[in-house]
Amino acid sequence: MGKYVINGGRKLSGKITVQSAKNSVMPMMAGSLLTDDPVVIKKCPKIADVFSMLNILKSLGTVAFFENDDLVIMPKYTKSNKTEKNQAKALRSSIFLMGALVSRFKKAEISLPGGCDIGERPIDIHVDLLKSMGCEISQTTDGINCVGNKLKCCEFRLPFASVGATENAILAAVKLNGTTVLKNVAREPEIIDLVCFLRSMGAKIYGEGTKTIQIEGVKKLRGTEYQPIGDRVEAGTFLTAVAISGGELEIKGINSENISSLIHKLCENSCKITVKNDIIYIKSGKTRKPFSLVTGPYPLFATDLQAQAMTLACLSEGQSVIRENVFENRFRHVEELKKFGADIKVYGRAAVINGVKEFIPANVYAKDLRGGASLVLGALNAKGSSTVFDVYHIERGYADFDLKLRSIGADITKIN
Ligand code: UD1
C-alpha cells in the first residue's frame, strides 16, 4: 500500500510549480464525451484519480492516453453507456459520467461512486437535477439507471451549492434544446474552469462564478486543447507545509485569489506572503499564533484544506477552533495527529485545538486524501523518524508529493 518515511525537523526552501487542478480535470475528462473530436487536457496531473477515470473511459470504449504530460482523449470510439462497478467505486468523480453519458447516449447505467470516506456523500441533488431535465431514474442494486429519451431544459434551484451536482448538471444541459437555468450553484474556481473548457468546445454558458448559471443549448461541440488552472489545494498544502516547517518557498502556477481564505489565515498565524502574477512567495514567521476557521462553499475556507490547517493549528501557540461545515465526517486525521502529541478535542463538527510546541515522531495511517497530507505535514515537524502508511490515499490527488517535498529540502522517502 506504500508508506513515506520522514525525518522531520528540516526547514523547507526553494521553488515548486503546482500541477493542474485535480478538481478541474475530473469533470473535464467526463465532459470530453460531449464531442466526437479529440480533446487534449494539457499538463494533466499523473495522479491515481486521473488513472482511475482513464480506466473507466477506456472500459466505455473511449481511446485515451498520455502524450508526455498531456492527456489525449478520443471520444468518438465511446460505445458503452455503462460504468463497471469496481471501477466506478474507485472514485467519487465517476458520478460526472452520469450527465455526460445521458447527454451522449440518452441512457446511462452508473455504478454508485466511491472516493474518500469523509461522510455520507449522497447524490440526491445530482438525481433530482437530472429528473427535472426529464430523465427517468431508477435505482438498481449496484447503482442507478438513467433514461433520457425526452430530455428538456429546466430551471432548478440547488438546495445546497454542491460542486459535483453543479458540474453534472452543466454537462447534462450543454447540448439540450433551449436554455437551462441553475440557481444556487457552486462558485468554485474549478467550476469556472469547466465552463471555460466547455466554452472552448463551443458551449454557450453564462454566469459562472455567480450563484446563477444559464446554459443555452448547442447542437454540437468540437474538440479542444485546454490547460486547466493550477491546483489550489496542492498550493495550499505546500504553503501550510512552510508555515509548519519553517523556511521560504516560491510557488508558481497559481492564482492567489483562489486561496485567499487560506492566505489570510497563514498571515494571521505567522507568515509573510507576497504575490506576483501567478507566483506566491511565502516566508515563515517566528511565533505561530492560533486561528479559527469554518469551512464552507467557495469563497469560504475550502474543506479540502481543513486537515492541513489543523496540523498548523496543533503547532500554534494557544487555542484554535476549526469547524467543518461541508462534510460530516472529515476529522479522521484527528486520531492520527494525536499520535504526534497533538491536543485536539472534537465536539460534533467542531475541533478545539490547544497548540503544542512541536510534534514527536510517530507511525500514522492516512485515512483519506487530504487528511493523509496533513499527517505528512505533521511528520515534517517532528524531529526524528516518522512513518505515514497507506499513502495511496495521498497519491489519489498529489503527483510526486514526496519528490516535490524532497526537492525543497524535506527528508522523505517512499517505500512500496
Ligand atoms: C467536490 C470536490 C471535493 C471537495 C468538495 C467540496 C471534486 C472532484 N471534488 O466534491 O474535493 O471536497 O467538492 O468542496 O471536485 N451533497 C448532498 N447531495 C448531493 C451532493 C452533495 O447532500 O447530491 C452534500 C455532500 O454530502 C457534502 C456537500 O453536499 O456534504 C458537499 O458536496 P459536493 O460539493 O457535492 O462535493 P463533491 O462534488 O463530492
Side-chain angles (χ1 to χ4, degrees):
M1 294 293 205
K3 60 186 178 185
Y4 292 147
V5 177
I6 297 164
N7 278 301
R10 293 179 164 219
K11 282 191 176 176
L12 304 177
S13 76
K15 295 178 184 181
I16 62 148
T17 301
V18 291
Q19 64 190 32
S20 294
K22 162 186 168 295
N23 288 355
S24 288
V25 168
M26 304 314 293
M28 286 175 192
M29 290 178 77
S32 68
L33 299 186
L34 299 178
T35 180
D36 271 340
D37 299 337
V39 169
V40 179
I41 301 177
K42 296 182 84 69
K43 293 191 183 157
C44 182
K46 289 175 181 158
I47 50 177
D49 271 13
V50 164
F51 288 110
S52 299
M53 191 67 155
L54 208 53
N55 283 339
I56 298 178
L57 290 182
K58 283 181 183 168
S59 75
L60 298 175
T62 318
V63 172
F65 52 89
F66 267 99
E67 212 169 69
N68 300 320
D69 288 339
D70 299 341
L71 179 64
V72 181
I73 301 172
M74 302 179 70
K76 76 171 170 184
Y77 301 103
T78 310
K79 297 278 176 296
S80 170
N81 55 20
K82 186 176 174 187
T83 63
E84 299 296 334
K85 188 177 170 192
N86 289 339
Q87 292 177 338
K89 266 182 98 151
L91 80 167
R92 169 88 178 164
S93 302
S94 55
I95 190 75
F96 298 131
L97 288 165
M98 186 158 91
L101 287 174
V102 165
S103 172
R104 188 178 177 96
F105 293 112
K106 311 284 170 254
K107 202 169 177 266
E109 274 183 60
I110 304 289
S111 295
L112 284 179
C116 281
D117 180 11
I118 51 175
E120 278 294 305
R121 302 190 89 169
I123 54 165
D124 54 316
I125 309 173
H126 297 251
V127 167
D128 290 347
L129 263 159
L130 281 177
K131 275 186 180 165
S132 68
M133 288 178 189
C135 215
E136 285 168 26
I137 297 187
S138 52
Q139 188 130 12
T140 62
T141 40
D142 291 340
I144 43 181
N145 248 329
C146 315
V147 181
N149 291 327
K150 294 178 212 139
L151 284 184
K152 56 178 174 37
C153 51
C154 70
E155 192 171 314
F156 189 92
R157 167 175 284 278
L158 279 73
F160 176 84
S162 154
V163 174
T166 301
E167 293 169 336
N168 222 343
I170 293 172
L171 294 178
V174 151
K175 287 166 82 178
L176 292 182
N177 192 13
T179 301
T180 300
V181 181
L182 305 172
K183 294 185 174 168
N184 193 33
V185 292
R187 294 179 286 162
E188 267 65 4
E190 293 78 14
I191 297 213
I192 301 178
D193 207 22
L194 174 67
V195 168
C196 292
F197 165 81
L198 292 169
R199 202 175 274 142
S200 75
M201 296 167 75
K204 291 190 175 164
I205 306 172
Y206 312 96
E208 73 277 13
T210 74
K211 285 195 163 186
T212 302
I213 287 183
Q214 283 195 31
I215 304 144
E216 213 179 280
V218 294
K219 279 215 167 71
K220 212 172 163 210
L221 292 184
R222 55 179 180 267
T224 185
E225 280 196 18
Y226 190 86
Q227 157 89 61
I229 58 171
D231 196 309
R232 64 192 164 111
V233 183
E234 189 198 21
T237 304
F238 277 89
L239 286 170
T240 314
V242 173
I244 288 169
S245 304
E248 46 193 302
L249 188 66
E250 198 177 289
I251 302 182
K252 189 170 166 47
I254 183 72
N255 179 349
S256 63
E257 279 175 26
N258 294 347
I259 41 169
S260 57
S261 55
L262 173 73
I263 288 177
H264 283 136
K265 292 294 161 197
L266 292 175
C267 293
E268 193 183 320
N269 175 266
S270 59
C271 301
K272 236 182 140 176
I273 295 180
T274 46
V275 172
K276 196 172 173 205
N277 303 323
D278 72 337
I279 296 177
I280 304 179
Y281 178 78
I282 180 168
K283 192 172 189 321
S284 65
K286 282 211 169 66
T287 313
R288 291 184 286 259
K289 294 192 200 116
F291 56 91
S292 292
L293 67 86
V294 180
T295 68
Y298 190 84
L300 299 178
F301 195 93
T303 173
D304 285 352
L305 286 167
Q306 175 260 110
Q308 301 88 318
M310 186 178 289
T311 305
L312 176 61
C314 290
L315 292 159
S316 300
E317 234 173 49
Q319 192 170 77
S320 299
V321 180
I322 292 182
R323 192 175 162 80
E324 172 55 57
N325 264 356
V326 179
F327 291 105
E328 77 277 15
N329 182 23
R330 207 168 194 180
F331 282 149
R332 297 187 69 199
H333 41 282
V334 166
E335 286 312 306
E336 300 303 305
L337 286 173
K338 283 183 182 171
K339 295 179 185 167
F340 289 119
D343 177 353
I344 311 168
K345 288 191 179 61
V346 172
Y347 303 94
R349 280 174 175 259
V352 177
I353 300 135
N354 287 304
V356 296
K357 211 164 182 319
E358 56 184 22
F359 276 173
I360 48 170
N363 292 335
V364 292
Y365 288 80
K367 301 283 173 67
D368 57 53
L369 164 54
R370 307 303 174 187
S374 78
L375 301 179
V376 173
L377 303 193
L380 289 175
N381 176 272
K383 288 194 185 92
S385 176
S386 296
T387 303
V388 180
F389 290 92
D390 294 346
V391 298
Y392 66 93
H393 286 293
I394 300 170
E395 291 174 342
R396 284 189 43 222
Y398 295 90
D400 297 329
F401 195 39
D402 52 332
L403 299 185
K404 274 187 165 171
L405 282 168
R406 210 154 64 204
S407 76
I408 55 171
D411 182 347
I412 174 169
T413 309
K414 184 174 174 205
I415 298 173
N416 282 313

